């Protein structure tokens, strides 16, 4: 084939070494195949849904879509970026412009080519446009209509008139490798399906472009593409093992009682009983809003909900989002202990996702354990590969700050790859009462996306204004009960329904609080504190200016232990 002489990558230190484009496209599809083989069925079914076919019938098309991510490299503007390329094409008859435009973005050329190829394959116009858009975004950004219009008319860079036949040759060769037969029965795709396809493509291209795991092939390797695909699947298996991307499997296979999962919480508190009962009744991924005072065992309830939701609905991991780095560090320690209890000899990856993660000793200890070691398998590790800022959310388990969970819905590069990482997960947002109106609005939009992507969401709070619950219900396409249950309460959004349950706070943990006023002067403050500290104990003093804090400090003396 003429297209066998098109290059995808070359060795800048050795001009005689280059990697044929068709082989690189198959490399990336091989990675996708192995990644998806390690995913729960729920993930595969959601990807298959974009074609309207069963997973077995959709799989060849998914691999074809991913493989075609770089078909835009079959263009004069890309191929002539390498000076030696003209020598490769001397005997092929491929036409090149006299003044090539090498400034083109090959990913956007892929989008132009794929739209035409999909339409020719019998796909609807809308589905062809959306699939091409998702694939063409694999370098992190989407092309605007103006950019695409300029590219289509660029004969020196794209030259669609002469290169369409080359695109078709590559496309036909890939169709033969993957065995695409049944065509899509859908005419469009949802936003969630778009993000899954875009995120998966970007992710597997990242791995499949690594020369350490996927060394260059030769033109002779292009003679048997089926053999090349099988070889590269083996390479992909080794690469994913080394990176720590292991099969996503539930922590438990059979239902477990709450008191057995958390022996220190025996008997379970009313809050925890309410969560256990609610989880047993939902019939799919859901959103739980748990409002209760501090110390009622909300975190353990969230951990248990993750165990059951993951077991029943095939969720692929857990991410806990906290308001600050300090609370994130504390939750990281608790999550590590929780995972250790249920790892059962498995190797799990746990990441701490915030800007100061490298300063956390527990996290550093996990990183030092390594990534994959068959001899010492069965431990909790923090794989080095996942510490990259764009890849942290791809880890099976993670704890971090809320901003990391909100980035996927903001216009940042590779936002769809972050969405892919959180898809079909259990995502816990803790202490949501701590957020302002802006962050709260982003949070509600993030919950909508995560639900659309098949995730279950758990929201934990000491208390919330009714307005937040109403906005959340509206975003999820339902309404709160006409008469809400009194606080503390559990609100369950499942399908199109919303149900609430009131439970009693643990009476044994109640405390009487007496509030009384005092004179605001420094002397009065000192006298009150001296009275309260007549024996051993601690007193917290909150003042609202630096000056008053300094005066209070001086009043007690330089050596006093006062905060």
């Amino acid at each position: 084939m003429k297209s066998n002489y098109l290059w995808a990558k070359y060795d800048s230190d050795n001009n005689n070494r280059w990697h044929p484009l068709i082989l690189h496209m198959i490399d990336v599809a091989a990675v996708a195949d192995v990644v998806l083989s390690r995913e729960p069925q729920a993930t595969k079914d959601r990807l298959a849904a974009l074609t309207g076919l069963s997973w077995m019938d959709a799989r060849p098309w998914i691999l074809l879509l991913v493989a075609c991510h770089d078909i835009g490299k079959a263009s004069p503007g890309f191929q002539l970026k390498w000076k030696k390329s003209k020598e490769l094409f001397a005997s092929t008859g491929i036409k090149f412009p006299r003044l090539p435009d090498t400034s083109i973005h090959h990913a956007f050329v892929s989008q132009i080519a794929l739209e035409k190829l999909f339409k020719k394959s019998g796909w609807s116009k809308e589905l062809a446009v959306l699939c091409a858009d998702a694939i063409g975004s694999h370098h992190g950004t989407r092309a605007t209509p103006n950019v695409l219009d300029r590219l289509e008319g660029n004969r020196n860079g794209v030259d669609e008139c002469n290169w369409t036949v080359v695109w078709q040759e590559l496309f036909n060769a890939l169709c033969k490798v993957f065995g695409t037969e049944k065509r899509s029965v859908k005419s469009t795709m949802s936003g969630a399906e778009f993000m899954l396809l875009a995120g998966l493509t970007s992710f597997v291209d990242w791995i499949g472009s690594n020369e350490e795991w996927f060394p260059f092939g030769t033109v002779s390797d292009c003679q048997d593409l089926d053999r090349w695909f099988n070889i590269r699947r083996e390479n992909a298996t080794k690469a994913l093992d080394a990176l720590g991307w292991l099969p996503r499997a539930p922590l438990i296979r059979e239902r477990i009682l709450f008191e057995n999962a958390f022996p220190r919480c025996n008997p379970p508190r009313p809050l925890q009983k309410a969560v256990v009962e609610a989880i047993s009744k939902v019939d799919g991924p859901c959103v739980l809003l748990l409002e209760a005072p501090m110390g009622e065992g909300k975190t353990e309830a969230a951990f248990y909900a993750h165990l059951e939701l993951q077991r029943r609905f095939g969720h692929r991991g857990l991410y806990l989002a906290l308001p600050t780095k300090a609370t994130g560090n504390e939750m990281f320690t608790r999550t590590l202990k929780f995972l250790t209890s249920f790892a059962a000899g498995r190797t799990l990856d746990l990441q701490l996702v915030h800007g100061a993660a490298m300063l956390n000793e527990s996290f550093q200890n996990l990183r030092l354990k390594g990534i994959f070691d068959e001899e010492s398998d069965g431990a909790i590790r923090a794989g080095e590969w996942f510490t990259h800022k764009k890849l942290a959310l791809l880890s099976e388990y993670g704890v971090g700050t809320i901003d990391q969970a909100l980035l996927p819905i903001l216009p940042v590069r590779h936002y769809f790859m972050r969405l892919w990482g959180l898809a079909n997960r259990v995502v816990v947002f803790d202490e949501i009462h701590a957020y302002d109106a802006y962050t709260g609005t982003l949070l509600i939009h993030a919950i909508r996306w995560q639900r659309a992507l098949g995730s279950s969401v758990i929201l934990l709070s000491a208390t919330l204004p009714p307005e937040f619950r109403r906005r959340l219900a509206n975003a999820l396409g339902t309404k709160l009960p006409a008469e809400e249950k009194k606080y503390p309460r559990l609100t369950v959004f499942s399908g199109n329904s919303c149900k609430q349950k009131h439970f009693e706070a643990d009476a044994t943990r109640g405390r009487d609080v007496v509030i009384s006023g005092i004179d605001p002067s420094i002397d009065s403050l000192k006298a009150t504190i001296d009275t309260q500290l007549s024996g051993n104990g601690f007193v917290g003093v909150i003042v609202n200016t630096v000056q008053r804090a300094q005066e209070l400090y001086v009043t007690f003396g330089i050596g006093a232990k006062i905060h």
Side-chain angles (χ1 to χ4, degrees), residues 63-130:
L63 298 183
L64 175 67
L65 288 168
V66 171
C68 286
H69 72 290
D70 269 354
I71 201 167
K73 288 184 175 180
S75 58
F78 180 85
Q79 290 297 312
L80 293 178
K81 290 177 185 285
W82 183 30
K83 295 179 180 179
K84 192 179 173 98
S85 58
K86 283 190 176 181
E87 297 178 23
L88 298 176
F89 311 134
S91 61
T92 64
I94 295 177
K95 295 183 179 181
F96 286 89
R98 293 181 60 188
L99 299 172
D101 178 5
T102 58
S103 65
I104 64 168
H105 195 318
H106 73 269
F108 298 158
V109 180
S110 292
Q111 183 172 342
I112 293 171
L114 289 175
E115 182 179 332
K116 301 180 185 304
L117 291 167
F118 292 150
K119 288 178 184 176
K120 194 171 181 180
S121 296
W123 290 34
S124 73
K125 177 180 178 181
E126 186 173 353
L127 187 62
V129 168
L130 291 172

XYZ file of all heavy atoms in Angstrom, residues 63-130:
537
model
N -12.416 0.384 18.590
C -10.986 0.275 18.258
C -10.661 1.024 16.975
O -9.611 1.669 16.863
C -10.580 -1.200 18.133
C -10.737 -2.067 19.394
C -10.226 -3.480 19.144
C -10.013 -1.442 20.579
N -11.560 0.954 15.992
C -11.344 1.683 14.744
C -11.340 3.192 14.992
O -10.469 3.909 14.482
C -12.435 1.328 13.739
C -12.409 2.120 12.424
C -11.172 1.764 11.620
C -13.670 1.872 11.615
N -12.304 3.675 15.786
C -12.369 5.101 16.092
C -11.067 5.576 16.738
O -10.495 6.593 16.359
C -13.545 5.380 17.026
C -14.948 5.275 16.420
C -15.993 5.296 17.529
C -15.191 6.418 15.457
N -10.602 4.829 17.740
C -9.381 5.211 18.451
C -8.175 5.160 17.510
O -7.324 6.058 17.519
C -9.169 4.299 19.671
C -7.801 4.543 20.295
C -10.267 4.519 20.713
N -8.088 4.109 16.690
C -6.946 3.961 15.773
C -6.861 5.132 14.803
O -5.759 5.581 14.444
C -7.054 2.651 15.005
N -8.008 5.665 14.401
C -8.028 6.730 13.392
C -7.647 8.103 13.949
O -7.708 9.095 13.222
C -9.412 6.810 12.759
S -9.766 5.461 11.612
N -7.231 8.155 15.201
C -6.923 9.456 15.819
C -5.856 10.224 15.041
O -5.863 11.454 15.012
C -6.462 9.254 17.257
C -5.097 8.662 17.386
N -4.813 7.358 17.065
C -3.914 9.214 17.785
C -3.531 7.124 17.261
N -2.950 8.228 17.699
N -4.918 9.521 14.425
C -3.810 10.187 13.725
C -3.904 10.076 12.215
O -2.892 10.260 11.521
C -2.457 9.622 14.194
C -1.872 10.400 15.363
O -2.449 11.430 15.742
O -0.834 9.965 15.899
N -5.081 9.812 11.686
C -5.192 9.711 10.232
C -4.875 11.048 9.569
O -4.491 11.108 8.404
C -6.599 9.207 9.830
C -6.564 8.608 8.433
C -7.654 10.306 9.965
C -7.814 7.824 8.075
N -4.985 12.133 10.338
C -4.634 13.460 9.824
C -3.154 13.636 9.561
O -2.749 14.606 8.893
N -2.337 12.714 10.061
C -0.912 12.772 9.727
C -0.674 12.379 8.265
O 0.415 12.622 7.732
C -0.109 11.855 10.655
C 0.011 12.396 12.080
C 0.888 11.518 12.962
C 1.084 12.146 14.340
N 1.926 11.321 15.237
N -1.691 11.794 7.655
C -1.626 11.514 6.214
C -2.040 12.782 5.471
O -3.138 12.891 4.930
C -2.549 10.356 5.869
N -1.155 13.739 5.488
C -1.391 15.033 4.828
C -0.028 15.635 4.498
O 0.959 15.386 5.202
C -2.178 15.969 5.737
O -1.492 16.187 6.957
N 0.050 16.406 3.433
C 1.357 16.973 3.053
C 1.926 17.898 4.126
O 3.138 17.937 4.333
C 1.054 17.726 1.756
C -0.412 17.951 1.763
C -1.001 16.782 2.477
N 1.033 18.623 4.817
C 1.517 19.550 5.839
C 2.221 18.870 6.990
O 3.139 19.433 7.584
N 1.799 17.641 7.311
C 2.490 16.899 8.374
C 3.665 16.108 7.827
O 4.768 16.145 8.386
C 1.532 15.957 9.097
C 2.197 15.172 10.193
C 2.333 15.719 11.454
C 2.747 13.910 9.958
C 2.985 15.010 12.463
C 3.397 13.200 10.954
C 3.511 13.762 12.217
N 3.463 15.367 6.748
C 4.499 14.471 6.256
C 5.779 15.215 5.881
O 6.888 14.689 6.048
C 3.975 13.684 5.061
C 2.921 12.645 5.429
C 3.460 11.560 6.349
O 4.520 10.984 6.107
N 2.730 11.282 7.432
N 5.653 16.441 5.409
C 6.846 17.191 4.987
C 7.511 17.955 6.126
O 8.406 18.754 5.903
C 6.478 18.136 3.847
C 6.097 17.418 2.546
C 5.691 18.414 1.475
C 7.245 16.544 2.041
N 7.079 17.685 7.360
C 7.798 18.224 8.517
C 9.169 17.540 8.658
O 10.081 18.076 9.277
C 6.994 17.991 9.812
C 5.726 18.819 9.936
C 4.977 18.460 11.214
C 3.645 19.173 11.327
N 3.802 20.597 11.693
N 9.289 16.347 8.087
C 10.545 15.579 8.154
C 11.212 15.659 6.787
O 10.629 15.309 5.761
C 10.237 14.135 8.523
C 11.438 13.257 8.702
C 12.684 13.632 9.121
C 11.507 11.849 8.454
N 13.528 12.551 9.155
C 12.827 11.437 8.758
C 10.593 10.903 8.018
C 13.239 10.124 8.634
C 10.993 9.584 7.898
C 12.310 9.194 8.202
N 12.445 16.111 6.768
C 13.150 16.355 5.507
C 13.331 15.094 4.671
O 13.364 15.144 3.442
C 14.504 16.992 5.788
C 14.412 18.391 6.408
C 15.778 18.971 6.680
C 15.675 20.356 7.297
N 17.011 20.943 7.587
N 13.464 13.941 5.330
C 13.734 12.705 4.591
C 12.465 12.108 3.978
O 12.524 11.145 3.214
C 14.381 11.689 5.533
C 14.966 10.476 4.834
C 15.617 9.535 5.833
C 16.040 8.236 5.142
N 17.423 8.212 4.775
N 11.304 12.672 4.311
C 10.048 12.042 3.902
C 9.904 11.934 2.387
O 9.359 10.946 1.885
C 8.856 12.815 4.479
O 8.883 14.165 4.043
N 10.390 12.910 1.632
C 10.238 12.859 0.172
C 10.918 11.638 -0.425
O 10.465 11.091 -1.432
C 10.772 14.138 -0.467
C 9.822 15.323 -0.327
C 10.265 16.493 -1.185
C 9.267 17.631 -1.118
N 9.663 18.780 -1.974
N 12.012 11.203 0.199
C 12.686 10.005 -0.297
C 11.790 8.776 -0.156
O 11.808 7.874 -0.989
C 13.990 9.779 0.464
C 15.021 10.885 0.284
C 16.271 10.622 1.100
O 16.524 9.440 1.427
O 16.996 11.595 1.412
N 11.008 8.740 0.936
C 10.131 7.597 1.171
C 9.052 7.497 0.112
O 8.628 6.409 -0.269
C 9.471 7.709 2.550
C 10.389 7.708 3.769
C 9.564 7.913 5.028
C 11.151 6.390 3.859
N 8.593 8.658 -0.370
C 7.454 8.681 -1.269
C 7.851 8.685 -2.749
O 6.979 8.766 -3.622
C 6.594 9.921 -0.994
C 6.266 10.109 0.463
C 6.399 11.344 1.065
C 5.830 9.043 1.224
C 6.105 11.510 2.406
C 5.531 9.203 2.566
C 5.672 10.437 3.159
N 9.122 8.584 -3.029
C 9.590 8.713 -4.416
C 8.914 7.721 -5.358
O 8.616 8.049 -6.509
C 11.105 8.539 -4.464
N 8.649 6.519 -4.865
C 8.090 5.483 -5.751
C 6.595 5.258 -5.531
O 6.018 4.333 -6.126
C 8.829 4.158 -5.527
O 8.662 3.736 -4.187
N 5.960 6.059 -4.700
C 4.550 5.817 -4.378
C 3.585 6.567 -5.277
O 2.416 6.192 -5.385
C 4.258 6.232 -2.922
O 4.455 7.648 -2.790
C 5.160 5.481 -1.959
N 4.018 7.649 -5.876
C 3.127 8.448 -6.702
C 2.249 9.387 -5.908
O 1.340 10.021 -6.462
N 2.498 9.500 -4.593
C 1.719 10.423 -3.771
C 2.116 11.853 -4.137
O 3.299 12.186 -4.230
C 1.972 10.174 -2.273
C 1.468 8.782 -1.881
C 1.300 11.228 -1.416
C 1.733 8.407 -0.447
N 1.133 12.710 -4.362
C 1.394 14.083 -4.794
C 1.600 15.011 -3.602
O 0.915 14.904 -2.591
C 0.234 14.591 -5.644
C 0.070 13.849 -6.956
C -1.056 14.448 -7.782
C -1.212 13.714 -9.107
N -2.303 14.301 -9.927
N 2.576 15.917 -3.765
C 2.868 16.904 -2.733
C 2.844 18.303 -3.337
O 3.262 18.493 -4.491
C 4.235 16.653 -2.089
C 4.259 15.473 -1.168
C 4.547 14.212 -1.663
C 3.979 15.627 0.171
C 4.552 13.114 -0.822
C 3.991 14.537 1.014
C 4.270 13.275 0.530
N 2.374 19.289 -2.599
C 2.406 20.670 -3.100
C 3.837 21.188 -3.151
O 4.716 20.714 -2.420
C 1.561 21.429 -2.071
C 1.663 20.619 -0.823
C 1.754 19.190 -1.261
N 4.056 22.172 -3.995
C 5.406 22.738 -4.132
C 5.791 23.533 -2.891
O 6.954 23.583 -2.503
C 5.464 23.637 -5.364
C 5.306 22.875 -6.679
C 5.395 23.821 -7.857
N 6.689 24.502 -7.887
C 6.984 25.499 -8.715
N 6.054 25.931 -9.568
N 8.179 26.059 -8.703
N 4.812 24.200 -2.274
C 5.084 25.007 -1.085
C 4.211 24.510 0.063
O 3.160 25.084 0.365
C 4.803 26.488 -1.371
C 5.637 27.122 -2.482
C 5.116 28.520 -2.789
C 7.106 27.175 -2.078
N 4.613 23.429 0.709
C 3.760 22.834 1.752
C 3.620 23.739 2.981
O 4.548 24.458 3.348
C 4.513 21.544 2.110
C 5.946 21.836 1.767
C 5.889 22.705 0.548
N 2.444 23.684 3.597
C 2.173 24.413 4.840
C 2.310 23.426 5.990
O 1.409 22.632 6.250
C 0.771 25.010 4.787
C 0.409 25.750 6.080
O 1.287 25.865 6.951
O -0.748 26.191 6.198
N 3.444 23.476 6.665
C 3.705 22.508 7.743
C 3.257 23.011 9.116
O 3.602 22.433 10.132
C 5.211 22.169 7.798
O 5.960 23.373 7.991
C 5.655 21.495 6.515
N 2.491 24.086 9.134
C 2.024 24.624 10.419
C 0.672 24.037 10.829
O 0.128 24.397 11.871
C 1.898 26.149 10.337
O 0.887 26.529 9.405
N 0.114 23.135 10.043
C -1.220 22.610 10.327
C -1.216 21.728 11.574
O -0.183 21.184 11.977
C -1.761 21.794 9.138
C -0.883 20.558 8.903
C -1.869 22.639 7.889
C -1.490 19.551 7.948
N -2.385 21.593 12.191
C -2.573 20.743 13.374
C -3.146 19.414 12.880
O -4.300 19.343 12.463
C -3.540 21.419 14.345
C -3.546 20.824 15.724
N -3.519 19.470 15.946
C -3.571 21.417 16.950
C -3.552 19.243 17.247
N -3.576 20.407 17.875
N -2.326 18.359 12.945
C -2.747 17.091 12.335
C -4.003 16.511 12.979
O -4.784 15.807 12.324
C -1.611 16.068 12.380
C -1.357 15.515 13.752
N -0.463 16.071 14.632
C -1.899 14.445 14.392
C -0.444 15.367 15.747
N -1.305 14.396 15.636
N -4.218 16.782 14.271
C -5.405 16.226 14.944
C -6.679 16.789 14.334
O -7.689 16.083 14.207
C -5.351 16.529 16.437
N -6.633 18.060 13.943
C -7.815 18.669 13.337
C -8.006 18.186 11.894
O -9.133 18.115 11.406
C -7.702 20.195 13.381
C -7.626 20.754 14.783
C -7.076 22.014 15.019
C -8.081 20.024 15.868
C -7.004 22.528 16.302
C -8.013 20.528 17.158
C -7.465 21.789 17.380
N -6.909 17.834 11.239
C -7.032 17.215 9.919
C -7.691 15.843 10.061
O -8.502 15.428 9.224
C -5.666 17.098 9.222
C -5.820 16.454 7.842
C -4.997 18.460 9.093
N -7.361 15.140 11.150
C -8.024 13.855 11.424
C -9.531 14.058 11.512
O -10.313 13.251 10.991
C -7.505 13.263 12.743
O -6.159 12.873 12.660
N -9.933 15.135 12.156
C -11.360 15.406 12.304
C -12.034 15.600 10.946
O -13.122 15.069 10.698
C -11.563 16.651 13.172
C -13.012 16.994 13.452
C -13.159 18.109 14.462
O -12.228 18.419 15.210
N -14.333 18.715 14.510
N -11.374 16.339 10.060
C -11.917 16.575 8.715
C -12.030 15.261 7.945
O -13.055 14.960 7.317
C -11.025 17.568 7.950
C -11.100 18.953 8.611
C -11.415 17.644 6.490
C -10.089 19.943 8.070
N -10.962 14.460 8.003
C -10.947 13.199 7.260
C -11.984 12.223 7.790
O -12.710 11.572 7.020
C -9.546 12.584 7.331
N -12.075 12.121 9.125
C -12.968 11.128 9.717
C -14.429 11.444 9.467
O -15.248 10.530 9.265
C -12.693 11.021 11.217
C -11.365 10.358 11.580
C -11.125 10.417 13.074
C -11.356 8.907 11.113
N -14.770 12.704 9.488
C -16.168 13.067 9.215
C -16.599 12.531 7.857
O -17.699 11.981 7.699
C -16.330 14.586 9.279
C -17.755 15.046 9.067
C -17.898 16.547 9.149
O -17.094 17.201 9.848
O -18.816 17.085 8.480
N -15.727 12.660 6.869
C -16.060 12.196 5.526
C -16.052 10.672 5.447
O -16.916 10.054 4.802
C -15.072 12.792 4.523
C -15.069 14.322 4.531
C -14.089 14.897 3.539
C -14.022 16.409 3.673
N -15.341 17.072 3.536
N -15.100 10.044 6.115
C -15.006 8.585 6.074
C -16.189 7.928 6.775
O -16.717 6.916 6.301
C -13.688 8.134 6.717
C -12.420 8.480 5.934
C -11.184 8.276 6.805
C -12.319 7.626 4.667
N -16.609 8.486 7.912
C -17.737 7.909 8.637
C -19.030 8.054 7.844
O -19.857 7.141 7.802
C -17.888 8.567 10.005
C -16.759 8.255 10.951
C -16.371 9.164 11.922
C -16.084 7.045 10.885
C -15.337 8.888 12.791
C -15.054 6.751 11.751
C -14.672 7.676 12.709
N -19.219 9.209 7.218
C -20.420 9.398 6.395
C -20.447 8.390 5.254
O -21.488 7.801 4.936
C -20.451 10.819 5.838
C -20.750 11.904 6.861
C -20.700 13.271 6.198
C -20.901 14.393 7.209
N -20.764 15.730 6.558
N -19.298 8.177 4.649
C -19.213 7.228 3.535
C -19.471 5.798 3.999
O -19.908 4.948 3.213
C -17.833 7.335 2.879
C -17.740 6.665 1.522
C -16.420 6.986 0.842
C -16.345 6.328 -0.533
N -15.063 6.639 -1.218
N -19.205 5.533 5.296
C -19.430 4.193 5.854
C -20.889 3.970 6.226
O -21.242 2.890 6.710
C -18.555 3.983 7.094
O -17.190 4.013 6.741
N -21.728 4.977 6.041
C -23.151 4.814 6.308
C -23.629 5.390 7.625
O -24.786 5.217 7.993
N -22.739 6.080 8.372
C -23.153 6.699 9.624
C -23.948 7.967 9.309
O -23.765 8.605 8.268
C -21.938 7.053 10.471
C -21.228 5.857 11.024
C -21.081 4.636 10.420
C -20.568 5.765 12.279
N -20.351 3.788 11.223
C -20.025 4.457 12.379
C -20.369 6.640 13.328
C -19.322 4.011 13.481
C -19.655 6.212 14.433
C -19.140 4.916 14.504
N -24.823 8.350 10.247
C -25.568 9.591 10.075
C -24.608 10.775 10.109
O -23.512 10.690 10.681
C -26.611 9.744 11.187
O -25.982 10.066 12.418
N -25.028 11.881 9.504
C -24.171 13.067 9.444
C -23.818 13.548 10.847
O -22.649 13.848 11.144
C -24.872 14.181 8.669
C -24.068 15.477 8.629
C -24.801 16.558 7.853
C -24.004 17.863 7.854
N -24.717 18.938 7.117
N -24.813 13.590 11.738
C -24.574 14.126 13.089
C -23.624 13.239 13.880
O -22.709 13.730 14.553
C -25.897 14.282 13.835
C -25.741 14.960 15.197
C -27.080 15.259 15.848
O -28.124 15.073 15.212
O -27.069 15.666 17.024
N -23.830 11.934 13.804
C -22.950 11.025 14.538
C -21.534 11.078 13.977
O -20.549 11.046 14.730
C -23.486 9.598 14.467
C -22.744 8.566 15.331
C -22.844 8.931 16.798
C -23.287 7.169 15.101
N -21.403 11.183 12.656
C -20.078 11.277 12.030
C -19.355 12.534 12.499
O -18.158 12.496 12.829
C -20.210 11.276 10.517
N -20.084 13.654 12.557
C -19.480 14.918 12.993
C -19.021 14.830 14.439
O -17.908 15.251 14.783
C -20.492 16.076 12.817
C -19.991 17.332 13.524
C -20.727 16.362 11.341
N -19.858 14.266 15.302
C -19.524 14.202 16.728
C -18.371 13.231 16.991
O -17.474 13.524 17.801
C -20.761 13.801 17.533
C -21.874 14.851 17.604
C -23.125 14.280 18.247
C -21.397 16.076 18.387
